[in-house]
Amino acid sequence: MAQYGFLFDSTRCTGCRTCMLACKDYKDLDQSHAFRKVYDFEGGSVTAAEDGSVTSDVFMYHVSAACNHCANPACLEACPVGAVVKDEGNGLVYINQDVCGGARACVDACPYGVPIYFEDVKKANKCDGCRDRVAAGLRPICVESCPLRALDFGEIEELRAAHPDAVDAIAPLPAGDATGPSLCIIAAATATADAKGVVTNEKTIAGDEAWAS
Ligand code: SF4
Ligand code: SF4
């Protein structure tokens, strides 16, 4: 089985949200729901010495994240009714809306906080890797939309081979060892798995505010 996944280049991403909005538009999502989210992550401090000199290790970067179509999907393992499916051909993970009973087990299980529970239809849903577009030979809409070419999509082993220094986790994403994310990240100098900082747009990430906050 091929395994498709995303590449994210944090050295290129400006946090513009175009990927997020293109996805919301394509998937016809309302203001408070997004399948792809862009984290603003900031850390560091400024220190003034007695001699009046000032040093700073302040940093800021963005992380555009969606479902990682994991090798070992926690969402799939948790679903009590078999609604989460991993495509045998391309490894994309999607939630069959005809089967989902709204148990929210996938929402609780995913370490990336990817599946969303939709109150109106009482079902969970998430990024499916634009499997309809992929089946038609196209790339996911987020990848197509990025003006900085910070996203790519393809067979994850090919992406990793093309970017041997890439990693599978940078803060604030969790470590990738639990679910085997099909994710390849080109990390900016300050973007590391153990970078200490805060997500400064967490209300947007949680869907509590408009995407533009
Ligand atoms: S569209 Fe590209 S540059 Fe803009 S937030 Fe998304 S990944 Fe980053
Ligand atoms: S990122 Fe979460 S929702 Fe996506 S396949 Fe992995 S465990 Fe499932």
Side-chain angles (χ1 to χ4, degrees):
M1 178 188 80
Q3 174 64 64
Y4 282 72
F6 288 105
L7 175 135
F8 170 64
D9 186 344
S10 79
T11 69
R12 287 175 172 262
C13 179
T14 61
C16 70
R17 297 355 186 210
T18 306
C19 53
M20 178 175 161
L21 285 174
C23 174
K24 285 163 73 74
D25 185 38
Y26 186 66
K27 296 293 187 182
D28 200 21
L29 300 177
D30 63 31
Q31 187 170 339
S32 60
H33 295 107
F35 290 164
R36 178 169 283 279
K37 299 177 179 178
V38 181
Y39 295 81
D40 299 330
F41 191 70
E42 301 179 19
S45 60
V46 176
T47 306
E50 286 185 5
D51 64 2
S53 63
V54 174
T55 57
S56 169
D57 59 358
V58 170
F59 69 87
M60 193 260 192
Y61 59 83
H62 312 280
V63 183
S64 172
C67 177
N68 298 311
H69 304 284
C70 302
N72 306 302
C75 54
L76 187 153
E77 301 271 330
C79 179
V81 295
V84 185
V85 181
K86 188 168 180 63
D87 188 296
E88 291 183 1
N90 57 27
L92 295 178
V93 178
Y94 62 96
I95 300 176
N96 185 334
Q97 295 297 288
D98 293 335
V99 178
C100 178
R104 306 189 203 202
C106 60
V107 177
D108 294 336
C110 173
Y112 296 91
V114 165
I116 299 170
Y117 181 73
F118 288 79
E119 237 0 290
D120 52 347
V121 292
K122 311 251 182 286
K123 294 176 190 287
N125 208 346
K126 68 174 191 66
C127 159
D128 65 357
C130 284
R131 53 195 292 271
D132 53 344
R133 290 177 57 87
V134 172
L138 302 171
R139 301 189 302 172
I141 200 75
C142 54
V143 175
E144 286 294 335
S145 73
C146 175
L148 276 298
R149 304 279 192 270
L151 293 170
D152 202 356
F153 177 83
E155 288 206 33
I156 196 66
E157 288 310 326
E158 290 183 5
L159 292 172
R160 286 173 178 148
H163 303 282
D165 294 331
V167 297
D168 65 3
I170 55 175
L173 302 182
D177 42 7
T179 61
S182 302
L183 179 62
C184 188
I185 301 171
I186 299 172
T190 54
T192 62
D194 58 359
K196 300 286 182 285
V198 293
V199 175
T200 54
N201 63 333
E202 60 182 7
K203 287 186 176 178
T204 306
I205 296 297
D208 292 342
E209 287 188 353
W211 55 267
S213 65

